[in-house]
Amino acid sequence: MSGAPTTSLAVRGEPALTPSATLEPIWVRVALVGIALAFLTLFLFVPLVAVFYEALKKGWDVYVASIVEPDAWSAIKLTLLTAAIAVPLNLVFGVAAAWAIAKFEFRGKNLLLTLIDLPFSVSPVISGLIYVLLFGMQGYFGPWLREHDIKILFAVPGIVLATVFVTFPFVARELIPLMQSQGSEEEEAALVLGASGWRTFWHVTLPNIKWGLLYGVILCNARAMGEFGAVSVVSGHIRGETNTIPLQVEILYNEFNITGAFAVASLLAFLALVTLAVKSIIEWRLHKQHAIAENE
């Protein structure tokens, strides 16, 4: 009837429902999810399962024997020692660099950012060769080191230096955007109220960056334990002395000790799984922290 009241959405002033421009058909979404799951299964889950299957194929006793074998145990201890030295050094550097870049303006700031990103653009093998040119017998410091009986290459110091180089961007690059987004108002207020620089950092800055800092340390530690290229160049592959876990896996595999190689490799795979779990927890805490900050 022409006199009946109109109840259309347009007349009532309500927007008409229209399909979202970003809403794909169901078959497209199913196809994309299927492709992603197939890719993850083929290139991630299957190799991961294969590592543990090959490691345990001959039984638990053989697996344990491969782990506690003297050369393998030496590689495990050297890997832990290297990470125990490299990660704290990168922690100190990363916090200091992030603080300077995020909180202050100074000449050379862009250069410092470029240097922090340098290990991401340089091959680890090339970085190892740089240390050979510096500390090798024919290198710039080689004669002086030889005269003073100081060993850098083919020893623990060279392995630590190479590991520090390839891992030092992780902590700094995790903290820089976080600290920049937080600004410097709280630190300035603490300084105005008479707090010292150290007290300001400990009671104001550190609580705000603790989860991001832990996130960077975890990534740094995982890379330190799994580094192969740079360490391979500077280690000399001395069995029982300068082989880390990745180098020990390569040696065992080249000697056709497949079970031993996969047994040692399973340690790195287990480390990766633990790192992924902790990383997921930290990301959840960071997301929760950002949500609380936005609500406030």
Side-chain angles (χ1 to χ4, degrees):
M1 297 176 60
S2 59
T6 304
T7 59
S8 65
L9 294 176
V11 173
R12 293 206 305 257
E14 298 181 9
L17 298 177
T18 58
S20 174
T22 60
L23 184 61
E24 301 291 346
I26 185 65
W27 68 268
V28 174
R29 285 177 283 170
V30 171
L32 291 175
V33 172
I35 292 173
L37 290 177
F39 186 89
L40 289 175
T41 301
L42 182 61
F43 293 102
L44 180 61
F45 299 137
V46 171
L48 189 62
V49 171
V51 168
F52 289 100
Y53 172 78
E54 292 292 339
L56 298 170
K57 184 168 62 175
K58 294 185 179 180
W60 181 256
D61 294 338
V62 176
Y63 176 83
V64 174
S66 299
I67 296 296
V68 300
E69 189 265 335
D71 289 343
W73 185 240
S74 175
I76 294 171
K77 291 191 293 184
L78 178 58
T79 301
L80 294 176
L81 175 63
T82 302
I85 299 174
V87 173
L89 290 177
N90 284 316
L91 171 64
V92 174
F93 168 80
V95 172
W99 180 305
I101 291 172
K103 305 298 182 180
F104 303 98
E105 293 294 334
F106 56 92
R107 299 178 66 178
K109 182 176 180 179
N110 291 331
L111 176 61
L112 179 57
L113 279 169
T114 301
L115 293 176
I116 290 175
D117 291 335
L118 186 62
F120 287 146
S121 58
V122 176
S123 168
V125 175
I126 300 302
S127 66
L129 289 174
I130 292 173
Y131 285 108
V132 173
L133 292 175
L134 290 175
F135 304 115
M137 296 297 290
Q138 306 300 323
Y140 293 107
F141 304 110
W144 184 88
L145 293 172
R146 183 173 62 253
E147 291 176 3
H148 293 80
D149 194 26
I150 299 175
K151 297 187 66 176
I152 301 295
L153 292 182
F154 312 142
V156 175
I159 295 174
V160 172
L161 286 174
T163 304
V164 169
F165 178 82
V166 300
T167 58
F168 79 79
F170 287 95
V171 176
R173 264 303 172 191
E174 186 62 35
L175 291 181
I176 289 172
L178 176 61
M179 296 177 74
Q180 286 177 333
S181 65
Q182 292 175 348
S184 58
E185 291 81 5
E186 294 184 12
E187 286 84 357
E188 292 172 356
L191 293 174
V192 169
L193 293 174
S196 62
W198 171 250
R199 191 170 184 180
T200 299
F201 170 77
W202 188 257
H203 293 283
V204 178
T205 305
L206 186 59
N208 290 333
I209 66 171
K210 59 182 179 180
W211 291 112
L213 179 61
L214 182 58
Y215 185 85
V217 167
I218 289 173
L219 294 180
C220 178
N221 181 70
R223 176 64 186 272
M225 289 190 175
E227 174 56 30
F228 179 85
V231 172
S232 177
V233 175
V234 302
S235 69
H237 294 269
I238 304 175
R239 298 191 67 155
E241 295 185 22
T242 62
N243 279 337
T244 57
I245 294 178
L247 301 183
Q248 182 67 14
V249 171
E250 181 194 32
I251 289 177
L252 293 174
Y253 188 81
N254 289 337
E255 294 178 348
F256 302 101
N257 185 355
I258 304 301
T259 301
F262 278 101
V264 178
S266 68
L267 297 178
L268 290 178
F270 178 74
L271 171 66
L273 293 175
V274 173
T275 301
L276 181 62
V278 177
K279 173 177 173 290
S280 299
I281 295 174
I282 294 176
E283 286 178 340
W284 174 76
R285 292 298 300 266
L286 284 173
H287 179 73
K288 183 178 180 181
Q289 187 179 39
H290 291 160
I292 294 175
E294 290 178 356
N295 291 332
E296 293 177 352

